Amino acid sequence: MPLNYYRNNVGGSITLLEVMKAHNVKKMVYSSSATVYGTPQKLPLTEDHPTGLGCTNPYGKSKHFVEEILKDLVKSDDAWSVISLRYFNPVGAHESGKIGEDPKGIPNNIMPYIAQVAVGRRKDLKVFGNDYNTPDGTGVRDYVHIQDLAMGHVAALTKILTPNFSGWKVYNLGTGSGLSVLQLVKAFEVASGQKVPYEIVGRRPGDIDASYADVSLAKKELCWEATKDVLDMCRDTWKWQSTNPNGYQVSK
């Protein structure tokens, strides 16, 4: 859905930046994405990896375009300060089980799909390809707990509000290690005690073999690192999904 992504992410960002400029608000923590790296030239991905070369989908391109706009803005006016946080794969739920991911329709992301299969809302998980250049043939990604991600934002806000901060800075937010689809499924089964049946189907266009972060810069400069592991991610997701089998929908 390229037009939807460009209208929302690019057009919406320009509108926001124009309003910020009009009101002399010139500090921003931008929610970017590891998809700006495209197909990795090296792993783990460091912040100096080329971006915009081989982005595999319109979402990643839209995030890259906004980063370019922000860099131009910072160059044009040294009153602007921007930190771009390149998220890897946010998953999980609040540990209370009261706040979780409730996508409408068929989930596009793997964790809510697994959770809906485990709770009985869906028959099985579709695993898109098992012939990638990875240990078990399924795609490898760097999954990061949303509560760790939230604390990454707090760290970025602390950084950008220091008197000596100016200009443009980028940080990866991930765990620094990758998990395959099948490893994630197994972890969810362990954390939930539920079986997650799956079916191997064909690859999706745009998917890559592996993507995971080098997070040493965020640790060094933001004093941030992920504290929760895959079992925490799965356990908290299951707590949310099992206590909210139909999501936020209220039964009539």
Short mmCIF file of all heavy atoms in Angstrom, two decimals, residues 84-146:
data_model
loop_
_atom_site.label_atom_id
_atom_site.label_comp_id
_atom_site.label_asym_id
_atom_site.label_seq_id
_atom_site.Cartn_x
_atom_site.Cartn_y
_atom_site.Cartn_z
N SER A 84 16.99 9.95 15.89
CA SER A 84 16.22 8.94 15.17
C SER A 84 16.48 7.58 15.81
O SER A 84 17.62 7.13 15.89
CB SER A 84 16.62 8.92 13.70
OG SER A 84 15.85 7.98 12.98
N LEU A 85 15.43 6.95 16.28
CA LEU A 85 15.52 5.63 16.89
C LEU A 85 15.10 4.58 15.87
O LEU A 85 13.94 4.56 15.43
CB LEU A 85 14.64 5.54 18.13
CG LEU A 85 14.97 6.51 19.27
CD1 LEU A 85 13.97 6.36 20.41
CD2 LEU A 85 16.39 6.31 19.77
N ARG A 86 16.04 3.76 15.47
CA ARG A 86 15.73 2.71 14.49
C ARG A 86 15.34 1.44 15.22
O ARG A 86 16.17 0.70 15.71
CB ARG A 86 16.94 2.49 13.57
CG ARG A 86 17.19 3.68 12.65
CD ARG A 86 18.43 3.52 11.80
NE ARG A 86 18.60 4.69 10.93
CZ ARG A 86 19.75 5.03 10.35
NH1 ARG A 86 20.82 4.26 10.53
NH2 ARG A 86 19.84 6.11 9.59
N TYR A 87 14.02 1.24 15.32
CA TYR A 87 13.49 0.04 15.99
C TYR A 87 13.78 -1.19 15.14
O TYR A 87 13.69 -1.15 13.92
CB TYR A 87 11.97 0.09 16.11
CG TYR A 87 11.34 1.29 16.72
CD1 TYR A 87 9.96 1.47 16.61
CD2 TYR A 87 12.05 2.25 17.41
CE1 TYR A 87 9.32 2.56 17.16
CE2 TYR A 87 11.42 3.34 17.97
CZ TYR A 87 10.05 3.50 17.83
OH TYR A 87 9.41 4.58 18.38
N PHE A 88 14.03 -2.28 15.82
CA PHE A 88 14.10 -3.55 15.11
C PHE A 88 12.70 -4.18 15.14
O PHE A 88 11.80 -3.67 14.49
CB PHE A 88 15.27 -4.39 15.62
CG PHE A 88 16.55 -3.98 14.93
CD1 PHE A 88 17.13 -2.73 15.17
CD2 PHE A 88 17.11 -4.78 13.96
CE1 PHE A 88 18.25 -2.32 14.48
CE2 PHE A 88 18.24 -4.37 13.25
CZ PHE A 88 18.81 -3.15 13.52
N ASN A 89 12.41 -5.21 15.88
CA ASN A 89 11.07 -5.81 15.81
C ASN A 89 10.40 -5.77 17.18
O ASN A 89 10.57 -6.69 17.99
CB ASN A 89 11.17 -7.26 15.31
CG ASN A 89 11.57 -7.33 13.86
OD1 ASN A 89 12.70 -7.03 13.51
ND2 ASN A 89 10.65 -7.72 13.00
N PRO A 90 9.63 -4.71 17.47
CA PRO A 90 8.99 -4.59 18.78
C PRO A 90 7.90 -5.65 18.96
O PRO A 90 7.05 -5.83 18.08
CB PRO A 90 8.37 -3.19 18.76
CG PRO A 90 9.06 -2.48 17.63
CD PRO A 90 9.39 -3.53 16.63
N VAL A 91 7.93 -6.33 20.08
CA VAL A 91 6.91 -7.35 20.40
C VAL A 91 6.63 -7.30 21.89
O VAL A 91 7.29 -6.60 22.65
CB VAL A 91 7.37 -8.78 20.01
CG1 VAL A 91 7.58 -8.91 18.52
CG2 VAL A 91 8.62 -9.18 20.76
N GLY A 92 5.63 -8.10 22.30
CA GLY A 92 5.33 -8.20 23.72
C GLY A 92 4.11 -7.40 24.11
O GLY A 92 3.34 -6.92 23.27
N ALA A 93 3.95 -7.24 25.42
CA ALA A 93 2.83 -6.50 25.99
C ALA A 93 3.27 -6.00 27.35
O ALA A 93 4.31 -6.41 27.88
CB ALA A 93 1.61 -7.41 26.12
N HIS A 94 2.47 -5.12 27.93
CA HIS A 94 2.80 -4.67 29.28
C HIS A 94 2.71 -5.86 30.23
O HIS A 94 1.82 -6.70 30.10
CB HIS A 94 1.86 -3.56 29.74
CG HIS A 94 2.30 -2.89 31.00
ND1 HIS A 94 1.90 -3.33 32.23
CD2 HIS A 94 3.14 -1.85 31.21
CE1 HIS A 94 2.46 -2.57 33.16
NE2 HIS A 94 3.22 -1.66 32.56
N GLU A 95 3.64 -5.93 31.17
CA GLU A 95 3.72 -7.10 32.05
C GLU A 95 2.47 -7.30 32.90
O GLU A 95 2.23 -8.39 33.39
CB GLU A 95 4.95 -6.98 32.95
CG GLU A 95 4.96 -5.76 33.83
CD GLU A 95 6.29 -5.52 34.53
OE1 GLU A 95 7.28 -6.21 34.21
OE2 GLU A 95 6.32 -4.63 35.40
N SER A 96 1.64 -6.26 33.05
CA SER A 96 0.39 -6.38 33.81
C SER A 96 -0.65 -7.21 33.06
O SER A 96 -1.61 -7.70 33.66
CB SER A 96 -0.20 -4.99 34.09
OG SER A 96 -0.62 -4.39 32.86
N GLY A 97 -0.48 -7.34 31.74
CA GLY A 97 -1.47 -8.02 30.92
C GLY A 97 -2.64 -7.14 30.53
O GLY A 97 -3.58 -7.59 29.88
N LYS A 98 -2.59 -5.85 30.89
CA LYS A 98 -3.71 -4.95 30.63
C LYS A 98 -3.56 -4.16 29.33
O LYS A 98 -4.54 -3.60 28.83
CB LYS A 98 -3.89 -3.98 31.80
CG LYS A 98 -4.30 -4.68 33.10
CD LYS A 98 -4.47 -3.68 34.23
CE LYS A 98 -4.91 -4.38 35.51
NZ LYS A 98 -5.08 -3.42 36.63
N ILE A 99 -2.36 -4.09 28.81
CA ILE A 99 -2.12 -3.35 27.57
C ILE A 99 -1.39 -4.27 26.61
O ILE A 99 -0.31 -4.79 26.93
CB ILE A 99 -1.27 -2.09 27.81
CG1 ILE A 99 -1.88 -1.21 28.89
CG2 ILE A 99 -1.11 -1.29 26.50
CD1 ILE A 99 -0.99 -0.04 29.30
N GLY A 100 -1.97 -4.48 25.43
CA GLY A 100 -1.34 -5.37 24.46
C GLY A 100 -1.70 -4.99 23.05
O GLY A 100 -2.43 -4.03 22.80
N GLU A 101 -1.19 -5.76 22.12
CA GLU A 101 -1.38 -5.49 20.69
C GLU A 101 -2.65 -6.16 20.20
O GLU A 101 -2.82 -7.37 20.35
CB GLU A 101 -0.16 -6.01 19.92
CG GLU A 101 -0.12 -5.56 18.47
CD GLU A 101 1.19 -5.93 17.79
OE1 GLU A 101 2.05 -6.57 18.45
OE2 GLU A 101 1.35 -5.59 16.61
N ASP A 102 -3.53 -5.38 19.60
CA ASP A 102 -4.82 -5.89 19.15
C ASP A 102 -5.06 -5.45 17.70
O ASP A 102 -5.87 -4.56 17.43
CB ASP A 102 -5.93 -5.35 20.06
CG ASP A 102 -7.30 -5.92 19.71
OD1 ASP A 102 -7.36 -7.00 19.10
OD2 ASP A 102 -8.31 -5.28 20.05
N PRO A 103 -4.36 -6.07 16.76
CA PRO A 103 -4.52 -5.68 15.35
C PRO A 103 -5.90 -6.04 14.83
O PRO A 103 -6.50 -7.04 15.23
CB PRO A 103 -3.44 -6.48 14.63
CG PRO A 103 -3.19 -7.67 15.51
CD PRO A 103 -3.40 -7.18 16.92
N LYS A 104 -6.41 -5.21 13.94
CA LYS A 104 -7.70 -5.47 13.32
C LYS A 104 -7.51 -6.37 12.09
O LYS A 104 -6.59 -6.16 11.31
CB LYS A 104 -8.38 -4.16 12.91
CG LYS A 104 -8.58 -3.20 14.07
CD LYS A 104 -9.38 -3.82 15.21
CE LYS A 104 -9.50 -2.87 16.38
NZ LYS A 104 -10.15 -3.53 17.55
N GLY A 105 -8.34 -7.36 11.95
CA GLY A 105 -8.22 -8.27 10.83
C GLY A 105 -7.07 -9.23 11.05
O GLY A 105 -6.65 -9.52 12.17
N ILE A 106 -6.52 -9.75 9.95
CA ILE A 106 -5.41 -10.70 10.02
C ILE A 106 -4.14 -9.95 10.40
O ILE A 106 -3.76 -8.99 9.73
CB ILE A 106 -5.22 -11.42 8.67
CG1 ILE A 106 -6.49 -12.19 8.31
CG2 ILE A 106 -4.03 -12.36 8.74
CD1 ILE A 106 -6.46 -12.80 6.92
N PRO A 107 -3.46 -10.36 11.47
CA PRO A 107 -2.24 -9.64 11.88
C PRO A 107 -1.16 -9.69 10.81
O PRO A 107 -0.94 -10.72 10.17
CB PRO A 107 -1.79 -10.41 13.14
CG PRO A 107 -3.01 -11.11 13.63
CD PRO A 107 -3.80 -11.45 12.40
N ASN A 108 -0.48 -8.56 10.63
CA ASN A 108 0.64 -8.50 9.70
C ASN A 108 1.96 -8.86 10.37
O ASN A 108 2.94 -9.14 9.69
CB ASN A 108 0.76 -7.09 9.10
CG ASN A 108 -0.34 -6.80 8.09
OD1 ASN A 108 -0.69 -7.67 7.31
ND2 ASN A 108 -0.88 -5.60 8.11
N ASN A 109 1.98 -8.81 11.70
CA ASN A 109 3.20 -9.10 12.45
C ASN A 109 3.10 -10.46 13.12
O ASN A 109 2.01 -10.93 13.47
CB ASN A 109 3.47 -8.01 13.48
CG ASN A 109 3.72 -6.66 12.83
OD1 ASN A 109 4.35 -6.59 11.77
ND2 ASN A 109 3.23 -5.60 13.44
N ILE A 110 4.26 -11.09 13.33
CA ILE A 110 4.26 -12.49 13.74
C ILE A 110 3.77 -12.74 15.15
O ILE A 110 3.03 -13.69 15.40
CB ILE A 110 5.67 -13.10 13.54
CG1 ILE A 110 5.62 -14.61 13.78
CG2 ILE A 110 6.70 -12.41 14.43
CD1 ILE A 110 6.88 -15.33 13.37
N MET A 111 4.15 -11.90 16.12
CA MET A 111 3.82 -12.21 17.51
C MET A 111 2.31 -12.22 17.78
O MET A 111 1.81 -13.17 18.39
CB MET A 111 4.53 -11.27 18.46
CG MET A 111 4.37 -11.66 19.93
SD MET A 111 5.22 -13.20 20.35
CE MET A 111 6.72 -12.56 21.09
N PRO A 112 1.55 -11.20 17.37
CA PRO A 112 0.11 -11.28 17.59
C PRO A 112 -0.54 -12.45 16.84
O PRO A 112 -1.52 -13.02 17.31
CB PRO A 112 -0.43 -9.93 17.11
CG PRO A 112 0.64 -9.36 16.27
CD PRO A 112 1.93 -9.89 16.79
N TYR A 113 0.03 -12.81 15.69
CA TYR A 113 -0.50 -13.96 14.95
C TYR A 113 -0.28 -15.25 15.76
O TYR A 113 -1.21 -16.07 15.92
CB TYR A 113 0.18 -14.07 13.58
CG TYR A 113 -0.65 -14.79 12.54
CD1 TYR A 113 -1.05 -14.15 11.37
CD2 TYR A 113 -1.06 -16.10 12.74
CE1 TYR A 113 -1.83 -14.81 10.42
CE2 TYR A 113 -1.82 -16.77 11.79
CZ TYR A 113 -2.21 -16.12 10.64
OH TYR A 113 -2.96 -16.79 9.70
N ILE A 114 0.94 -15.43 16.28
CA ILE A 114 1.21 -16.60 17.12
C ILE A 114 0.26 -16.63 18.31
O ILE A 114 -0.30 -17.68 18.66
CB ILE A 114 2.68 -16.57 17.60
CG1 ILE A 114 3.64 -16.85 16.44
CG2 ILE A 114 2.91 -17.58 18.73
CD1 ILE A 114 5.11 -16.70 16.81
N ALA A 115 0.07 -15.49 18.95
CA ALA A 115 -0.78 -15.42 20.14
C ALA A 115 -2.22 -15.78 19.80
O ALA A 115 -2.90 -16.48 20.58
CB ALA A 115 -0.72 -14.02 20.75
N GLN A 116 -2.70 -15.33 18.65
CA GLN A 116 -4.08 -15.65 18.26
C GLN A 116 -4.24 -17.13 17.93
O GLN A 116 -5.30 -17.71 18.17
CB GLN A 116 -4.52 -14.76 17.10
CG GLN A 116 -4.72 -13.31 17.51
CD GLN A 116 -5.28 -12.44 16.40
OE1 GLN A 116 -5.76 -12.93 15.38
NE2 GLN A 116 -5.23 -11.13 16.59
N VAL A 117 -3.20 -17.74 17.39
CA VAL A 117 -3.24 -19.19 17.16
C VAL A 117 -3.26 -19.91 18.51
O VAL A 117 -4.06 -20.83 18.74
CB VAL A 117 -2.02 -19.66 16.33
CG1 VAL A 117 -1.95 -21.19 16.30
CG2 VAL A 117 -2.11 -19.11 14.90
N ALA A 118 -2.42 -19.49 19.43
CA ALA A 118 -2.34 -20.15 20.74
C ALA A 118 -3.63 -20.04 21.53
O ALA A 118 -3.99 -20.97 22.28
CB ALA A 118 -1.19 -19.55 21.55
N VAL A 119 -4.37 -18.94 21.35
CA VAL A 119 -5.61 -18.75 22.09
C VAL A 119 -6.82 -19.34 21.37
O VAL A 119 -7.94 -19.35 21.88
CB VAL A 119 -5.83 -17.25 22.39
CG1 VAL A 119 -6.50 -16.53 21.23
CG2 VAL A 119 -6.60 -17.04 23.69
N GLY A 120 -6.59 -19.89 20.17
CA GLY A 120 -7.64 -20.56 19.43
C GLY A 120 -8.41 -19.72 18.45
O GLY A 120 -9.39 -20.20 17.86
N ARG A 121 -7.99 -18.50 18.22
CA ARG A 121 -8.69 -17.63 17.27
C ARG A 121 -8.35 -17.97 15.82
O ARG A 121 -9.12 -17.69 14.91
CB ARG A 121 -8.37 -16.16 17.54
CG ARG A 121 -9.12 -15.60 18.74
CD ARG A 121 -8.72 -14.17 19.05
NE ARG A 121 -8.99 -13.25 17.95
CZ ARG A 121 -8.71 -11.94 18.01
NH1 ARG A 121 -8.13 -11.45 19.10
NH2 ARG A 121 -8.99 -11.16 17.00
N ARG A 122 -7.16 -18.56 15.62
CA ARG A 122 -6.72 -18.92 14.27
C ARG A 122 -6.22 -20.36 14.27
O ARG A 122 -5.72 -20.85 15.28
CB ARG A 122 -5.65 -17.96 13.76
CG ARG A 122 -6.15 -16.53 13.76
CD ARG A 122 -5.30 -15.57 12.97
NE ARG A 122 -5.91 -14.24 13.07
CZ ARG A 122 -6.90 -13.80 12.29
NH1 ARG A 122 -7.35 -14.59 11.33
NH2 ARG A 122 -7.43 -12.61 12.47
N LYS A 123 -6.36 -21.00 13.12
CA LYS A 123 -6.04 -22.43 13.01
C LYS A 123 -4.55 -22.70 13.17
O LYS A 123 -4.14 -23.59 13.93
CB LYS A 123 -6.54 -22.96 11.67
CG LYS A 123 -6.21 -24.44 11.43
CD LYS A 123 -6.64 -24.86 10.03
CE LYS A 123 -6.21 -26.30 9.74
NZ LYS A 123 -6.56 -26.70 8.35
N ASP A 124 -3.73 -21.97 12.41
CA ASP A 124 -2.29 -22.21 12.46
C ASP A 124 -1.55 -20.98 11.97
O ASP A 124 -2.12 -20.06 11.40
CB ASP A 124 -1.88 -23.44 11.64
CG ASP A 124 -2.32 -23.37 10.18
OD1 ASP A 124 -2.52 -22.25 9.66
OD2 ASP A 124 -2.46 -24.43 9.55
N LEU A 125 -0.26 -20.97 12.22
CA LEU A 125 0.63 -19.90 11.78
C LEU A 125 1.17 -20.21 10.40
O LEU A 125 1.59 -21.34 10.14
CB LEU A 125 1.79 -19.76 12.77
CG LEU A 125 2.92 -18.80 12.37
CD1 LEU A 125 2.44 -17.36 12.45
CD2 LEU A 125 4.14 -19.01 13.26
N LYS A 126 1.15 -19.23 9.53
CA LYS A 126 1.76 -19.39 8.21
C LYS A 126 3.20 -18.92 8.30
O LYS A 126 3.46 -17.75 8.60
CB LYS A 126 1.01 -18.59 7.15
CG LYS A 126 -0.49 -18.87 7.08
CD LYS A 126 -0.81 -20.32 6.78
CE LYS A 126 -2.31 -20.54 6.71
NZ LYS A 126 -2.67 -21.97 6.54
N VAL A 127 4.14 -19.82 8.08
CA VAL A 127 5.56 -19.48 8.10
C VAL A 127 6.00 -19.29 6.65
O VAL A 127 5.97 -20.23 5.85
CB VAL A 127 6.39 -20.59 8.78
CG1 VAL A 127 7.88 -20.26 8.70
CG2 VAL A 127 5.94 -20.78 10.22
N PHE A 128 6.39 -18.07 6.33
CA PHE A 128 6.67 -17.71 4.93
C PHE A 128 8.11 -18.07 4.55
O PHE A 128 9.01 -17.26 4.64
CB PHE A 128 6.40 -16.22 4.70
CG PHE A 128 4.96 -15.85 4.92
CD1 PHE A 128 4.57 -15.19 6.07
CD2 PHE A 128 4.00 -16.17 3.97
CE1 PHE A 128 3.24 -14.84 6.28
CE2 PHE A 128 2.67 -15.83 4.17
CZ PHE A 128 2.29 -15.17 5.33
N GLY A 129 8.28 -19.31 4.13
CA GLY A 129 9.58 -19.75 3.63
C GLY A 129 10.42 -20.45 4.68
O GLY A 129 10.48 -20.01 5.83
N ASN A 130 11.05 -21.55 4.28
CA ASN A 130 11.99 -22.25 5.17
C ASN A 130 13.28 -22.59 4.43
O ASN A 130 13.97 -23.54 4.77
CB ASN A 130 11.36 -23.52 5.75
CG ASN A 130 11.05 -24.57 4.69
OD1 ASN A 130 11.04 -24.27 3.49
ND2 ASN A 130 10.79 -25.79 5.12
N ASP A 131 13.59 -21.75 3.41
CA ASP A 131 14.80 -21.98 2.62
C ASP A 131 15.73 -20.76 2.63
O ASP A 131 16.51 -20.55 1.70
CB ASP A 131 14.44 -22.36 1.19
CG ASP A 131 13.60 -21.31 0.48
OD1 ASP A 131 13.12 -20.35 1.15
OD2 ASP A 131 13.40 -21.43 -0.75
N TYR A 132 15.64 -19.96 3.70
CA TYR A 132 16.54 -18.82 3.82
C TYR A 132 17.91 -19.29 4.31
O TYR A 132 18.04 -20.38 4.87
CB TYR A 132 15.96 -17.79 4.82
CG TYR A 132 14.78 -17.04 4.27
CD1 TYR A 132 13.48 -17.39 4.60
CD2 TYR A 132 14.95 -15.95 3.41
CE1 TYR A 132 12.39 -16.70 4.10
CE2 TYR A 132 13.87 -15.25 2.90
CZ TYR A 132 12.60 -15.63 3.24
OH TYR A 132 11.53 -14.95 2.74
N ASN A 133 18.90 -18.44 4.13
CA ASN A 133 20.26 -18.76 4.56
C ASN A 133 20.39 -18.49 6.06
O ASN A 133 21.08 -17.55 6.49
CB ASN A 133 21.27 -17.94 3.76
CG ASN A 133 22.70 -18.31 4.10
OD1 ASN A 133 22.97 -19.42 4.56
ND2 ASN A 133 23.61 -17.38 3.89
N THR A 134 19.71 -19.32 6.85
CA THR A 134 19.70 -19.21 8.31
C THR A 134 19.82 -20.61 8.88
O THR A 134 19.63 -21.61 8.16
CB THR A 134 18.40 -18.55 8.81
OG1 THR A 134 17.29 -19.38 8.42
CG2 THR A 134 18.21 -17.15 8.21
N PRO A 135 20.10 -20.75 10.17
CA PRO A 135 20.31 -22.09 10.74
C PRO A 135 19.17 -23.07 10.51
O PRO A 135 19.40 -24.26 10.27
CB PRO A 135 20.51 -21.80 12.23
CG PRO A 135 21.15 -20.45 12.25
CD PRO A 135 20.47 -19.70 11.14
N ASP A 136 17.90 -22.63 10.58
CA ASP A 136 16.79 -23.56 10.36
C ASP A 136 15.98 -23.23 9.11
O ASP A 136 14.92 -23.81 8.88
CB ASP A 136 15.89 -23.64 11.59
CG ASP A 136 15.20 -22.33 11.94
OD1 ASP A 136 15.09 -21.45 11.06
OD2 ASP A 136 14.77 -22.17 13.10
N GLY A 137 16.47 -22.28 8.31
CA GLY A 137 15.81 -21.95 7.05
C GLY A 137 14.73 -20.89 7.14
O GLY A 137 14.24 -20.42 6.12
N THR A 138 14.33 -20.52 8.37
CA THR A 138 13.31 -19.47 8.51
C THR A 138 13.98 -18.14 8.85
O THR A 138 15.09 -18.10 9.37
CB THR A 138 12.28 -19.84 9.60
OG1 THR A 138 12.92 -19.96 10.88
CG2 THR A 138 11.59 -21.16 9.25
N GLY A 139 13.28 -17.06 8.53
CA GLY A 139 13.85 -15.72 8.68
C GLY A 139 14.25 -15.40 10.11
O GLY A 139 13.55 -15.77 11.06
N VAL A 140 15.36 -14.71 10.24
CA VAL A 140 15.89 -14.33 11.56
C VAL A 140 15.73 -12.81 11.75
O VAL A 140 16.09 -12.02 10.87
CB VAL A 140 17.38 -14.72 11.69
CG1 VAL A 140 18.02 -14.08 12.91
CG2 VAL A 140 17.53 -16.23 11.74
N ARG A 141 15.17 -12.44 12.91
CA ARG A 141 14.96 -11.03 13.23
C ARG A 141 15.36 -10.75 14.67
O ARG A 141 15.43 -11.65 15.51
CB ARG A 141 13.48 -10.64 13.03
CG ARG A 141 12.95 -10.82 11.62
CD ARG A 141 13.57 -9.86 10.64
NE ARG A 141 13.00 -10.00 9.30
CZ ARG A 141 13.47 -10.82 8.37
NH1 ARG A 141 14.53 -11.60 8.62
NH2 ARG A 141 12.91 -10.88 7.19
N ASP A 142 15.58 -9.49 14.96
CA ASP A 142 15.93 -9.02 16.30
C ASP A 142 14.66 -8.51 16.97
O ASP A 142 14.16 -7.43 16.64
CB ASP A 142 16.97 -7.90 16.17
CG ASP A 142 17.57 -7.46 17.50
OD1 ASP A 142 16.94 -7.72 18.55
OD2 ASP A 142 18.64 -6.86 17.48
N TYR A 143 14.12 -9.30 17.89
CA TYR A 143 12.88 -8.93 18.58
C TYR A 143 13.21 -8.22 19.89
O TYR A 143 14.05 -8.68 20.66
CB TYR A 143 12.03 -10.18 18.86
CG TYR A 143 11.61 -10.90 17.60
CD1 TYR A 143 12.34 -12.00 17.13
CD2 TYR A 143 10.52 -10.47 16.86
CE1 TYR A 143 11.96 -12.64 15.96
CE2 TYR A 143 10.15 -11.10 15.68
CZ TYR A 143 10.87 -12.20 15.25
OH TYR A 143 10.51 -12.83 14.08
N VAL A 144 12.53 -7.10 20.14
CA VAL A 144 12.79 -6.31 21.34
C VAL A 144 11.46 -6.06 22.06
O VAL A 144 10.44 -5.76 21.44
CB VAL A 144 13.50 -4.98 20.99
CG1 VAL A 144 12.70 -4.14 20.01
CG2 VAL A 144 13.84 -4.18 22.25
N HIS A 145 11.47 -6.22 23.37
CA HIS A 145 10.27 -6.05 24.18
C HIS A 145 9.83 -4.58 24.16
O HIS A 145 10.66 -3.68 24.28
CB HIS A 145 10.55 -6.49 25.62
CG HIS A 145 9.32 -6.74 26.44
ND1 HIS A 145 8.45 -5.73 26.80
CD2 HIS A 145 8.82 -7.88 26.99
CE1 HIS A 145 7.47 -6.24 27.54
NE2 HIS A 145 7.67 -7.54 27.66
N ILE A 146 8.54 -4.35 24.05
CA ILE A 146 8.05 -2.97 23.96
C ILE A 146 8.37 -2.14 25.20
O ILE A 146 8.51 -0.92 25.11
CB ILE A 146 6.54 -2.93 23.67
CG1 ILE A 146 5.75 -3.70 24.72
CG2 ILE A 146 6.24 -3.43 22.28
CD1 ILE A 146 4.29 -3.33 24.77
#
